[in-house]
């Protein structure tokens, strides 16, 4: 039985075993995309590359048979660089948005398409959980948000954008009005305490997420009630106070302490906070010129100077966010700041390296070419944007929002631009792991195509990396038509023979193909 | 649309068979019949055979020979091989499309008369730029036109349509074994036919008949002297020979009368063997298309032949390619006989080892090691394969060997089969070489009939031996337009009826090859030298060449040299010697800039390194590669970035598409090169290109991808300043269309020729005045420059 070393660790394997098998034995993880146990190694994706002494260049570990005495490098910088290059090349010819453009544009990165799918399925409790994962005050924002997401909505190229903001408000209102509004479980309490200065949207959001993470938060505010600018700068007509009160009450219900009429600098000093608390988050809203330099915080033209990734200020353990740190003032941005600063604060408090919130890896289609929007529309409802019923609108008062039926109709208009396999896509996962840059190699991009003929499965050739697994699966299963490679070289595509439909090609093993497909090229139409 | 009559499909399947491996053959038959592959026909094939829809759809779209849409009545195939590229093949292609009114995305004219397509290489590099017209009517052969330029396109189309009406005679082989009379020899291989040798052959036969001359007109294997084609050699009884270069059909009668007039027998000019007589061009009818000079005398021939050593091309220009008797008279099959009768397989392998022979397909792997590996496999079934899928643009050695010396290759292959213990084999020949396929087929059939192939080869009937114990069955597999099939694992996949996708090695073919059996694959030239080695002894072969590269190597010498042709030289000769002595230096007074060696897997050797010798290691060291032996001389007017782009465009186009680095990596490299050539280069592009090239080189799955960056890396290495210039939107050689402008200098005499020929109406006719070029209308086709009698067109 041949012996080899991988990263200087020796292992013995059966005759005929591959380097990948050997790595598995050593629990060394090697990324693979075109490899599936039980099928012939295709050696096409080349992300499983390793270096073997004596062999020139790199070899794919999935198909390379172990020879006695091999010395394999699987984790050197050189190998990582080659894998990254493979991923970057694949990404350069991979057409799709991992995350919907709406979500990419939302400062809080709320998973809008998921929320809409949940609304469409009538799963409103799931929908509020999705919303609150990123937005602590959705009923509030549902009324005052300038909705940048809707400007990015692809549907606008066809008729009008989906009413994302009203849908969010619908979800939040239904929740607030329910007997038992959604409160996510908090992690076990830790002893650490956080002082949050300013109970506006940023402070409230930070308090919400830090509390969920198990930290004890105290909100300090010079006003009597929490809400900051939401309460003192937004008109009641725009934002009825009962909505604001209810959402703040929910946050307080989680265990957040509110201490009003406390002005930092007079009642308490920054030094007091730093000694009494384990961390401080400054979210005092718009700074007056020459503002809080006295707090010992460095300021610049835009407010308090922070590290844009981590929200750290010049003082250790003191973070800042919201309108206090930026010129362009947006409640949704403030809410996002609160959420993101909470991540850094949590890292700081648990003694980890402060990296800030990790940005999910994303590829972008960008601007659509002529005729492509029609492909997107194919699977969606063609009805126009639902407008609120004028009769239900009380003058000088807020309107009532969507009815259940309207919400469902509007939800059906969503094109679901996000990838159906965003969470399971191996290309995305590895691209993230290896720090691959999707824009490294720019070339002419593929044309967007969506083939929805199959009842359960959708095929997006633009996302296919030509690995050939589905072709092997259909061939092995004896599908009458199955799938095949059409063409050669750069233009090769996976398709059903004779131009027939995916429904005809995948009669028996559609779900196996979806499971094996390493990207979102083959996916279930409806996420399970 | 009319319903398609599919009876033909049924008949074809009936004839060819129903196995999965028959898919290529069936597709070829279907396409021959319908001139494209109708979907209904493919579905019918699936109903009748074991071939699955996935297989037929995958295979028929993999090979570029197959069309899925109806084609025009005739097909114009424009060669864009290296030699044609550097001499303006791309512009000829554009000119045909323009002349026929074919749109950008189309390939067929509105009347459906002509389909215009690019082909990788027609193997007629000395006639560059070359096109071939495949006629619909089976009565006429393909017609090849050489030395074209854009403005000759209308002449060619007119000429072709006239010929189609006239139905020229077919070439027949009728040999009179009367050796007493004189012989008039002419080569009828593809590139000589392209130069017009078929018509000369017919004219000579007619002349002999009419004058009752005591002579036989004989088609012979190629002498390699393509720069003189059509070359006629008159061999008189007694051994005196006369050569006539660039003969026209109308010269035939004069040549025959000169040597075979009964009353003039006494007036034989006793001259040296390679004497050449002046010849007179009387008719200029063909002049616009092929412009030959008349002053070719014996000096060039002597120089051309001087340094050559004919082993693979032994008896070149002397024997009839498909005449088995003549092959036998010239020691044919003696080597095989010696092996079967006197040597054990191991002894044969030892002889090959002692000869130092290395694979001539490109990589230079020691031949004996391959043979030995297959020999030692304990398998009852083994195969031998001859790789005749020579696809490098700018290389046609293997084509010429197959067309001129088919028996020699068969013999070499039989010896190999004997040595490794194989009893079955395939010739894999690319479809672009119809004459090679025809002659190999004929030669195999003749061998079968005469017992040189089949069961019990070399059985001594005189000794009443019941069997010799050695059997070999050979078949021909025809490729379908995929360069990657030159890669051995892809080639085997193709024979098995699959898409020609390479796979990871090991296992090597010697371990698990065709149908998973141990298989020996060698290149045409490798097999072709084997009989010589056996007959003359391995030491004689090893005496030639350098320490690590033994024997000779056949090269296709083309590009900007004065005398292009097919040459066989001893290893170790310097590149400069080939270019200067054999090739006669650079034509047209320009200086040698670089020599591209090894085609798309090779690299450019700059003029200052031309002293290096032709051997595997020396070439690798400078970033080139022996490859299969294309050698294209480049002069100062050639842009090295354009050359790199050209080769990468080729390999990128030929990538099978399997592995990420080759499929996408070469495309991204090409993106950068295209940007540079179009003046859209960005800062850092050269470094990014180098980085990508190294990645593709180190991480691609097969040889195609691993060597594809060579032309790019070698040109960056030696001509980095040219890359830099392109970043600054300059093309120093004046080649890259987007970076150059055409203008008229004060040398203009106002002859108006440029205005008359300009296909884009960019020059207004102003007799006796200096002409001007409208840069906005100018398409940079170079026509004005080529017609200007005073060199008054400037390109910057």
């Amino acid at each position: 039985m041949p012996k080899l070393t991988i990263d200087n660790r020796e292992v013995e394997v059966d005759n005929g075993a591959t380097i990948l098998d050997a790595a598995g034995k050593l629990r060394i993880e090697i990324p693979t995309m075109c490899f599936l146990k039980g099928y012939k190694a295709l050696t096409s994706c080349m992300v499983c590359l390793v270096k073997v002494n004596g062999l020139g260049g790199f070899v794919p570990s999935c198909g390379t048979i172990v020879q006695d005495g091999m010395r394999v490098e699987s984790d050197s910088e050189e190998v990582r660089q080659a894998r990254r290059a493979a991923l970057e090349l694949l990404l350069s010819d991979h057409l799709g948005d991992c995350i919907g453009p709406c979500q990419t544009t939302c400062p809080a990165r709320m998973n809008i398409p998921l929320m809409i799918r949940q609304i469409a399925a009538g799963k409103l409790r799931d929908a509020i959980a999705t919303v609150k994962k990123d937005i602590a005050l959705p009923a509030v924002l549902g009324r005052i948000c300038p909705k940048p997401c809707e400007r990015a909505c692809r549907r606008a190229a066809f008729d009008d954008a989906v009413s994302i903001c009203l849908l969010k408000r619908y979800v939040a209102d239904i929740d607030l009005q329910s007997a038992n509004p959604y409160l996510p479980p908090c992690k076990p309490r830790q002893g650490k305490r956080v002082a949050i200065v300013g109970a506006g949207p940023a402070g409230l959001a930070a308090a919400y997420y830090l509390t969920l993470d198990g930290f004890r938060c105290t909100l300090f505010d010079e006003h009597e009630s929490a809400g900051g600018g939401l309460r003192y700068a937004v008109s009641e007509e725009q934002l009825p106070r009962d909505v604001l009160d209810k959402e703040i009450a929910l946050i307080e219900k989680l265990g957040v302490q509110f201490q009003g009429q406390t002005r930092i600098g007079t009642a308490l000093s920054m030094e007091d906070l730093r000694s009494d608390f384990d961390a401080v988050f400054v979210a005092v809203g718009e700074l007056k010129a020459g503002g809080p330099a006295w707090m010992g915080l460095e300021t610049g033209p835009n407010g308090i100077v922070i590290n844009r990734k981590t929200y750290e200020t010049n003082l250790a353990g003191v973070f800042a966010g919201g309108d206090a740190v930026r010129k362009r003032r947006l409640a949704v941005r403030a809410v996002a700041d609160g959420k993101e600063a909470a991540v850094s604060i949590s890292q700081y408090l648990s003694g980890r390296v402060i990296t800030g919130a990790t940005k999910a890896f994303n590829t972008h289609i960008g601007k659509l070419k002529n005729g492509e929007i029609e492909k997107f529309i194919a699977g969606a409802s063609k009805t126009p944007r639902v407008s609120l019923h004028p009769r239900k609108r009380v003058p000088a008062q807020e309107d009532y929002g969507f009815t259940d039926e309207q919400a469902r109709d509007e939800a059906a208009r969503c094109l679901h631009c996000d990838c159906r396999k965003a969470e399971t896509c191996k290309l995305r996962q590895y691209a993230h792991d290896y720090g691959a840059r999707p824009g490294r190699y720019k070339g002419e991009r593929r044309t967007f195509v969506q083939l929805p003929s199959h009842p359960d499965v959708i095929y997006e050739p633009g996302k296919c990396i030509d690995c050939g697994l589905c072709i092997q699966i259909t061939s092995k299963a004896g599908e009458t038509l199955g799938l095949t490679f059409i063409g050669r070289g750069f233009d090769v595509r996976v398709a059903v023979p004779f131009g027939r439909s995916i429904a005809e090609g995948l009669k028996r093993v559609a779900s196996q193909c979806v499971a094996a497909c390493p990207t979102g090229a083959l996916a279930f139409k409806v996420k399970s | 649309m009319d319903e398609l009559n599919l009876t033909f499909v049924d008949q074809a399947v009936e004839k060819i068979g129903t196995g999965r491996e028959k898919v290529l053959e069936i597709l070829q038959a279907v396409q021959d019949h319908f001139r494209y592959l109708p979907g209904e026909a493919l579905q019918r094939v699936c109903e009748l055979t074991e071939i699955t829809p996935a297989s037929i759809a995958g295979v028929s779209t993999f090979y570029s020979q197959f069309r899925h849409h109806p084609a025009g009545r005739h097909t114009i195939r424009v060669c864009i091989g290296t030699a044609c590229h550097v001499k303006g093949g791309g512009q000829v292609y554009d000119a045909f499309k323009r002349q026929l009114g074919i749109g950008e995305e189309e390939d067929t004219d509105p009347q459906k008369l002509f389909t215009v397509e690019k082909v990788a290489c027609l193997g007629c590099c000395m006639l560059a730029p070359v096109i071939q017209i495949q006629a619909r009517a089976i009565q006429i052969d393909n017609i090849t036109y050489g030395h074209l330029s854009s403005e000759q396109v209308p002449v060619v189309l007119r000429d072709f349509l006239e010929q189609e009406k006239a139905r020229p005679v077919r070439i027949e082989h009728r040999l009179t074994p009367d050796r007493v009379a004189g012989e008039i020899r002419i080569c009828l291989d593809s590139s000589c036919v392209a130069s017009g040798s078929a018509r000369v052959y017919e004219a000579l036969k007619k002349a002999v008949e009419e004058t009752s001359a005591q002579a036989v007109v004989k088609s012979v294997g190629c002498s390699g002297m393509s720069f003189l084609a059509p070359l006629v050699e008159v061999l008189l009884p007694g051994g005196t020979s006369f050569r006539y270069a660039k003969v026209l059909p109308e010269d035939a009668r004069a040549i025959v009368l000169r040597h075979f007039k009964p009353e003039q027998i006494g007036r034989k000019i006793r001259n040296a063997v390679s004497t050449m007589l002046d010849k007179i061009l009387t008719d200029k009818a063909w002049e616009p298309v092929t412009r030959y000079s008349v002053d070719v005398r014996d000096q060039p021939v002597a120089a051309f032949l001087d340094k050559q050593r004919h082993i693979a091309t032994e008896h070149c220009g002397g024997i009839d390619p498909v005449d088995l008797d003549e092959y036998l008279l010239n020691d044919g099959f003696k080597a095989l006989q010696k092996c079967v009768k006197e040597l054990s397989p191991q002894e044969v392998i030892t002889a090959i080892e002692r000869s130092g022979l290395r694979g001539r397909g490109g990589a230079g792997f020691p031949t004996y090691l391959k043979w030995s590996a297959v020999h030692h496999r304990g398998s009852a079934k083994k195969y031998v394969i001859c790789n005749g899928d020579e696809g490098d643009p700018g290389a046609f050695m293997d084509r010429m060997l197959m067309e001129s010396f088919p028996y020699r290759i068969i013999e070499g292959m039989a010896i190999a089969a004997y040595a490794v213990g194989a009893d079955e084999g395939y010739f894999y020949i690319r479809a672009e070489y119809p004459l090679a396929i025809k002659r190999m087929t004929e030669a195999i059939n003749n061998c079968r009939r005469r017992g040189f192939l089949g069961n019990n080869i070399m059985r001594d009937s005189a000794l009443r031996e019941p069997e010799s114990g050695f059997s070999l069955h050979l078949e021909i597999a025809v490729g379908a337009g995929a360069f990657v099939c030159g890669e051995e694992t892809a080639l085997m996949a193709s024979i098995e009826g699959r898409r020609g996708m390479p796979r990871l090695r090991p296992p090597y073919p010697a371990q698990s090859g065709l149908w998973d059996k141990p298989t020996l694959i060698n290149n045409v030239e490798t097999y072709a030298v084997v009989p010589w080695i056996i007959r003359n002894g391995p030491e004689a072969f090893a005496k030639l060449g350098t320490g690590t590269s033994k024997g000779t190597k056949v090269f296709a010498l083309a590009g900007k040299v004065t005398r292009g042709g097919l040459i066989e030289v001893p290893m170790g000769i310097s590149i400069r010697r080939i270019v200067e002595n054999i090739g006669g230096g650079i034509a047209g007074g320009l200086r040698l800039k670089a020599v591209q060696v090894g085609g798309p897997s090779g690299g450019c050797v700059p003029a200052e390194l031309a002293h290096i010798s032709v051997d595997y290691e020396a070439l690798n060291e400078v970033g080139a590669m022996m490859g299969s032996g294309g050698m294209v001389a480049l002069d100062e007017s050639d842009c090295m970035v354009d050359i790199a782009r050209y080769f990468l465009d080729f390999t990128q186009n030929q990538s099978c598409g399997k592995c990420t680095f080759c499929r996408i990596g070469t495309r991204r490299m090409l993106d950068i090169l295209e940007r540079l050539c179009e003046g859209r280069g960005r800062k850092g592009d050269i470094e990014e290109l180098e980085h990508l090239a190294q990645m593709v080189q180190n991480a691609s799955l097969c040889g195609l991808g691993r060597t594809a960056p060579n032309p790019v890396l070698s040109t960056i290495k030696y001509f980095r300043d040219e890359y830099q210039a392109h970043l600054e939107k300059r093309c120093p050689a004046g080649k890259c269309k987007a970076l150059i402008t055409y203008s008229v200098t004060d040398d203009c005499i106002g002859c108006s020729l440029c205005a008359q020929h300009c296909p884009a109406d960019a020059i207004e006719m102003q007799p006796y005045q200096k002409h001007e070029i409208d840069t906005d209308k100018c398409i940079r086709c170079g026509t004005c420059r080529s017609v200007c009698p005073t060199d008054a067109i400037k390109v910057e």
Side-chain angles (χ1 to χ4, degrees), chain A residues 226-241:
Chain A
L230 298 174
R231 186 179 300 279
Y232 300 104
V234 179
S235 73
E236 276 214 54
E237 192 184 63
Q238 273 183 288
L239 177 59
R241 294 301 180 250

Side-chain angles (χ1 to χ4, degrees), chain A residues 42-46 56-58 63 81-82 86 89-90 92 440-441 443 465-466 484-490 492, chain B residues 53-54 58 61-62 481 499 504 652-661 663-664 667-668 688 691 698-699 701 706:
Chain A
L42 293 155
T43 61
S44 67
C45 76
M46 309 304 267
F58 302 95
Q81 200 191 342
L89 287 170
L90 287 171
S92 77
R440 171 85 190 256
Y441 304 113
I465 58 159
D466 299 316
T484 187
F485 281 123
I486 297 290
R488 182 177 79 196
F490 185 71
V492 72
Chain B
T61 57
F62 181 86
R499 292 163 59 87
L504 192 66
Q652 191 270 326
N653 198 265
Q654 296 297 331
S655 165
C656 81
K658 182 171 181 171
C659 76
T660 301
F661 286 95
R663 183 180 74 244
I664 311 176
R667 178 67 237 182
R668 296 297 168 240
E688 187 73 317
H691 162 78
N698 286 323
L701 193 67
R706 293 201 170 213

